[in-house]
Amino acid sequence: DAKLLVAGDSGNDLEMLTLGFPSVIVGNAQPELKNHEEHPLIFRANRHCAGGIYEAWNHFHADSTLWRTRFFQRVFFLPYR
């Protein structure tokens, strides 16, 4: 059972973000992407870069133990809880 999250920060990522998978527009995304219409499978993060991916992973996959691991949090430069 694989978990997937698509992430983007510019207009050339739009097609990928709208394929029907859980997706995130990170906080530092370009205006053309931030202005795209709302969709339930597209999360709009406040944090930039990897921090936004971490936010979205928690939003879509909160039941997953991966996001709680020390490895995952180290990769995204976040404090371990």
Side-chain angles (χ1 to χ4, degrees):
D1 184 35
K3 303 246 187 237
L4 175 74
L5 179 65
V6 178
D9 65 356
S10 63
N12 68 331
D13 297 323
L14 185 58
E15 185 177 352
M16 174 180 67
L17 292 167
T18 57
L19 288 173
F21 298 107
S23 303
V24 58
I25 297 173
V26 293
N28 59 310
Q30 299 298 314
E32 71 267 14
L33 198 54
K34 285 185 169 184
N35 294 333
H36 184 68
E37 64 189 58
E38 298 286 328
H39 188 279
L41 285 177
I42 300 176
F43 180 80
R44 293 166 187 276
N46 292 311
R47 289 178 162 176
H48 294 192
C49 305
I53 294 169
Y54 178 83
E55 259 185 272
W57 188 270
N58 189 31
H59 173 80
F60 288 113
H61 304 299
D63 60 328
S64 171
T65 57
L66 174 64
W67 77 271
R68 293 186 186 99
T69 65
R70 186 177 304 265
F71 170 77
F72 189 86
Q73 292 185 353
R74 246 191 240 153
V75 168
F76 291 104
F77 308 105
L78 298 168
Y80 181 69
R81 292 185 219 165

